[in-house]
């Protein structure tokens, strides 16, 4: 289990992390300007108390990337330990194979990352003081940081020999138990925010901090955790007491011809929670008019094919450094 996909580490081939590390080294007297990539700098940093480095690093990263500081320190391409950008390693089949895969995102994964002040000069308030542009920016963050890299990882893992089609599942999670806590924090706009699925995956029946422990949410947690546990044990999440009856493989009818493409033209995913309930959905590129029901129409509305085809394109990945 991890947060996000391999496409999250933007600027893997840049000197961004090296510069951030050097700035901390200078703060503690371990480096001079232009002389920060030396063995002496590293040895000096090892002698600095852990709490000092932690406090400086966390403060700097959260100042640069509020609220949590992601993307300030992360692994970088060095041609040795990390041989290339993650998306390129996936496309060349240089990864551990034979691991059954569930890949996922949550409906408002990007809500933390968009500034609440995001707006245009011409529009009125949309959700209290929050502009509609905030929600658009939040969903763009979701697709760039989570949804599209996750889809890319799942497709490339299958395409380049990681597993059989039956061993890849996708889900979108559309429920949260954090709503009361978000309201107390004054961030109700986060809605089904990043990490919302964790208490369900782990079947946490007594979540603290004023969380929603209603019977409906606890039942969803049992359903979700049962299905995932069954997949881990047997490779099939379907047809089990308290689990989902149907959860098709993400690319269940893929052909050899389809696998020549860099992005799928059809995919299936399980929706957990939300206004339309828990159900499997299959969508195909260019077929929104064929939506059979409200939940399928809602997934088509996310426009995953067009958005992710662009975000996962070679040009975008190169510029993002992933």
């Amino acid at each position: 289990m991890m947060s996000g996909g391999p496409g999250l580490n933007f600027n893997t081939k840049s000197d961004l992390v090296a510069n951030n590390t050097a700035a901390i080294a200078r703060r503690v007297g371990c480096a001079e300007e232009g002389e920060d990539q030396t063995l002496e700098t590293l040895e000096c940093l090892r002698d600095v108390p852990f709490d000092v480095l932690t406090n400086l690093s966390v403060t700097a990263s959260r100042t640069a990337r509020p609220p949590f500081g992601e993307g300030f320190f992360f692994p970088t391409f060095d041609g040795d330990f990390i041989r290339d950008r993650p998306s390129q390693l996936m496309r060349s089949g240089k990864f551990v194979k034979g691991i059954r895969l569930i890949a996922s995102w949550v409906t408002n994964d990007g809500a933390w990352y968009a500034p609440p002040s995001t707006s245009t000069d011409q529009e009125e308030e949309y959700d209290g003081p929050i502009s509609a542009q905030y929600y658009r920016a939040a969903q763009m963050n979701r697709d760039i940081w989570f949804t599209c890299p996750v889809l890319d990882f799942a497709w490339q893992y299958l395409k380049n020999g990681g597993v059989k089609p039956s061993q890849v599942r996708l889900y979108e999670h559309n429920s949260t138990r954090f709503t009361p806590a978000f309201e107390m924090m004054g961030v109700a706009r986060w809605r089904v925010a990043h990490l919302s699925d964790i208490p369900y995956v782990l079947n946490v029946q007594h979540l603290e901090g004023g969380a929603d422990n209603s019977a409906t949410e606890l039942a969803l947690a049992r359903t979700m955790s049962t299905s995932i546990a069954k997949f881990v044990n047997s490779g099939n999440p379907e047809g089990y007491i308290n689990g989902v009856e149907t959860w098709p493989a993400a690319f269940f009818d893929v052909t050899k011809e389809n696998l020549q493409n860099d992005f799928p033209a059809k995919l299936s995913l399980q929706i957990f929670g939300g206004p339309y309930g828990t159900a499997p959905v299959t969508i195909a590129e260019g077929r929104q008019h064929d939506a059979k029901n409200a939940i399928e129409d809602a997934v088509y509305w996310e426009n995953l094919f067009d958005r992710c085809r662009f975000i996962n394109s070679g040009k975008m990945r190169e510029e993002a450094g992933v």
Side-chain angles (χ1 to χ4, degrees), residues 75-89:
T76 56
F77 165 83
D78 60 3
D80 182 16
F81 187 76
I82 298 179
R83 307 301 295 272
D84 203 346
R85 291 185 288 122
S87 67
Q88 292 300 98
L89 292 174

Side-chain angles (χ1 to χ4, degrees), residues 10-273:
F10 296 147
N11 300 305
T12 303
K13 295 186 76 170
S14 77
D15 56 3
L16 176 68
V17 174
N19 291 339
N20 292 340
T21 304
I24 299 298
R26 289 193 292 272
R27 290 282 301 276
V28 296
C30 285
E32 299 291 336
E33 190 71 40
E35 298 180 0
D36 45 44
Q37 303 296 316
T38 65
L39 182 59
E40 289 75 15
T41 297
L42 179 60
E43 291 175 344
C44 178
L45 286 170
R46 286 172 173 165
D47 290 332
V48 177
F50 179 78
D51 61 327
V52 173
L53 287 179
T54 299
N55 289 335
L56 286 173
S57 299
V58 170
T59 299
S61 61
R62 289 184 174 177
T63 299
R65 295 293 304 275
F68 302 113
E70 287 97 334
F72 199 77
F73 297 110
F74 49 74
T76 56
F77 165 83
D78 60 3
D80 182 16
F81 187 76
I82 298 179
R83 307 301 295 272
D84 203 346
R85 291 185 288 122
S87 67
Q88 292 300 98
L89 292 174
M90 292 299 299
R91 281 163 171 76
S92 59
K94 296 178 180 178
F95 49 76
V96 176
K97 298 178 173 65
I99 299 175
R100 295 191 296 265
L101 175 68
I102 291 181
S104 65
W105 61 91
V106 305
T107 299
N108 304 113
D109 246 328
W112 286 353
Y113 306 99
S117 58
T118 303
S119 64
T120 64
D121 294 335
Q122 289 77 34
E123 66 183 339
E124 298 179 357
E125 294 178 350
Y126 171 74
D127 185 5
I130 305 301
S131 161
Q133 300 299 341
Y134 160 78
Y135 290 107
R136 295 187 179 105
Q139 292 306 86
M140 289 173 66
N141 273 273
R142 184 200 78 158
D143 290 344
I144 292 171
W145 280 74
F146 300 100
T147 306
C148 298
V150 164
L151 280 175
D152 192 52
F153 179 87
W155 178 250
Q156 296 299 331
Y157 195 68
L158 171 65
K159 171 183 167 68
N160 293 293
V163 286
K164 299 176 182 177
S166 63
Q167 296 175 308
V168 181
R169 297 299 200 279
L170 293 171
Y171 75 77
E172 178 176 340
H173 187 77
N174 192 22
S175 190
T176 186
R177 294 168 65 183
F178 299 136
T179 298
F182 289 163
E183 290 174 347
M184 287 188 292
M185 294 166 61
V187 290
R189 63 181 179 275
W190 285 358
R191 300 183 180 181
V192 186
H194 187 52
L195 305 180
S196 285
D197 56 335
I198 301 302
Y200 299 85
V201 172
L202 300 180
N203 192 21
V204 179
Q205 292 288 298
H206 301 286
L207 193 60
E208 302 295 332
D212 183 351
N213 290 310
S214 64
T216 299
E217 299 306 321
L218 297 185
L220 180 59
R222 287 190 293 271
T223 296
M224 190 172 186
S225 62
T226 297
S227 299
I228 290 177
K230 189 169 188 294
F231 179 82
V232 171
N233 287 318
S234 70
N236 183 1
E238 299 178 334
Y240 193 76
I241 297 173
N242 291 330
V244 295
E245 292 186 9
T246 305
W247 184 348
F251 314 109
F252 64 88
D253 59 353
V254 67
T255 66
K256 290 183 179 180
E257 182 179 2
N258 298 147
L259 289 173
Q260 301 305 308
N261 300 322
D262 202 48
F263 191 76
K266 181 180 179 181
L267 60 90
S268 297
L269 66 159
Q270 185 75 17
I271 306 298
F272 283 103

